[in-house]
Amino acid sequence: MIESNQLLFFFSALGVFNGFILSIYFAINAKKKNFTNYFLSLLLLVLSIRIVKSVFFFFNPHLSNIFIQIGLSACVLIGPFLFLYLKSYKKDEKINWKKHVISYLAAITILGIFYPYVEHRAIWSNWIVCAIYLQWFIYIVLSFKYLRPIFTKIKEKESLKRIDVWFLSIYFGVAFIWLAYSMAAYTSYIVGALSFTFILYLIVLLLIFKTNSESTFFNEKEKYKNKEIDKETLDLIDQKLSVIIEKELFLNPNFSLDEAAKELKVTKHILSQYVNEVLGRSFSSLIKEYRIEKAKKLLETETNYTIENLGYDSGFNSKSAFFTAFKKTTGLTPAEYQKSYLK
């Protein structure tokens, strides 16, 4: 029994130790590469503080009350840092981190001063902790909207970037830890700590076994740093790109970056860099735009075809993919667009 407890302590504490190490690593990495990694660093930090409290309290029920209060208070920042980390990758959204961090930090500090855990354990157990877990859950729900483009890719059977897999891992990891603590009354208090260790090592495996050295999980935008395309090549691609439209190559539902590069007689890497840096979008987004423009023309001229068939004729491989992309781009469904044009 003693040996099993020692193993339990070892594995639960191992996640905490590595969580602190990774938090430091991402904080240092943020200075060199990407400011958004500060949010990831702080997310791991507050998670680790929460988990270390669980570990020591489980094995030492007489743990100092102030330590318990700090551990529980850290939970109030887990949701906000998850939200801010995912949001920080959206180019068109401003990050008002003070509203999401300072306000909650001030609130939990004031509560801690006027209702210290040592004197008000019942209030903390029955009210404050429940409110913290509710706030954590609300932020998990709010953060989901930043994963919608990834789920759209999955639905449309598009290949995911490594950064997409990374975001999914972080999001569902935090959500699973929240669930583990919420269900602790029906399972065991140590489940949350063990979940953190398990999830942390799954995420680390993503780091270790990544195969593409040209991109990183943490800074997809720096993929082409120090590899500028010369002006002659830029002009050449700019001229040749119209070939995709002229030949309507995008009507092939399986038209890929490889095929486009071969058609334009440039390397796959150069074409991808051009589309990302010069046009400011991904290759799949560019092709989707071409298909939407084709769909618009068909909707304006063809009235005997079903809208679903027009989607297939525009290069989309499914009805849902066509409707989703069209509504996202135009703000209207295909039927609404056709109706407004024919008025």
Side-chain angles (χ1 to χ4, degrees), residues 26-207:
F26 289 125
I28 295 171
N29 190 61
K31 294 178 182 177
K32 295 179 179 178
K33 290 188 176 182
N34 196 342
F35 177 77
T36 59
N37 281 346
Y38 280 122
F39 296 128
L40 179 58
S41 172
L42 291 167
L43 172 61
L44 284 170
L45 177 63
V46 291
L47 272 170
S48 298
I49 292 172
R50 176 63 182 88
I51 302 301
V52 76
K53 173 260 173 187
S54 299
V55 173
F56 285 104
F57 181 72
F58 182 80
F59 291 98
N60 179 19
H62 304 293
L63 187 67
S64 170
N65 286 313
I66 188 64
F67 190 69
I68 295 174
Q69 181 174 323
I70 292 171
L72 291 172
S73 299
C75 281
V76 82
L77 295 177
I78 295 174
F81 283 135
L82 171 66
F83 177 80
L84 290 168
Y85 177 61
L86 295 177
K87 183 179 182 179
S88 64
Y89 277 84
K90 293 288 288 184
K91 295 180 181 178
D92 54 344
E93 291 195 27
K94 293 182 179 180
I95 303 173
N96 187 359
W97 66 269
K98 293 179 181 178
K99 178 179 72 174
H100 297 280
V101 176
I102 294 178
S103 58
Y104 289 117
L105 192 59
I108 199 65
T109 301
I110 292 170
L111 273 174
I113 292 171
F114 287 97
Y115 296 94
Y117 185 85
V118 64
E119 299 172 7
H120 302 276
R121 294 186 65 174
I123 293 177
W124 274 80
S125 299
N126 297 327
W127 298 101
I128 298 177
V129 173
C130 292
I132 289 173
Y133 281 177
L134 177 61
Q135 179 253 20
W136 184 355
F137 175 73
I138 289 171
Y139 269 99
I140 288 174
V141 174
L142 292 175
S143 300
F144 184 78
K145 75 173 184 175
Y146 297 111
L147 299 181
R148 284 178 182 170
I150 301 176
F151 284 103
T152 300
K153 286 183 181 181
I154 294 172
K155 190 175 181 181
E156 296 177 6
K157 297 180 180 179
E158 292 184 21
S159 60
L160 297 182
K161 294 180 180 179
R162 295 182 178 279
I163 193 72
D164 296 333
V165 177
W166 173 254
F167 286 156
L168 288 173
S169 302
I170 294 292
Y171 178 84
F172 284 110
V174 172
F176 188 80
I177 292 169
W178 173 86
L179 183 64
Y181 275 115
S182 300
M183 300 293 290
Y186 308 100
T187 54
S188 171
Y189 192 68
I190 201 65
V191 169
L194 291 174
S195 299
F196 180 64
T197 300
F198 176 70
I199 291 164
L200 193 63
Y201 274 90
L202 279 181
I203 293 174
V204 168
L205 284 175
L206 287 173
L207 294 174

Side-chain angles (χ1 to χ4, degrees), residues 245-299:
I245 301 175
E246 291 169 4
K247 293 186 177 182
E248 295 191 325
L249 301 176
F250 56 85
L251 295 183
N252 175 7
N254 299 315
F255 186 61
S256 65
L257 180 65
D258 284 326
E259 293 175 9
K262 289 176 183 176
E263 182 68 33
L264 303 181
K265 295 181 174 57
V266 295
T267 66
K268 175 183 173 181
H269 177 79
I270 290 293
L271 179 58
S272 177
Q273 183 176 356
Y274 175 87
V275 173
N276 275 267
E277 291 187 347
V278 179
L279 302 183
R281 66 205 73 175
S282 66
F283 179 77
S284 61
S285 297
L286 179 66
I287 296 304
K288 199 175 290 182
E289 287 178 17
Y290 291 159
R291 289 170 180 163
I292 294 297
E293 289 304 314
K294 177 66 177 181
K296 284 182 182 178
K297 292 177 182 177
L298 292 175
L299 287 167

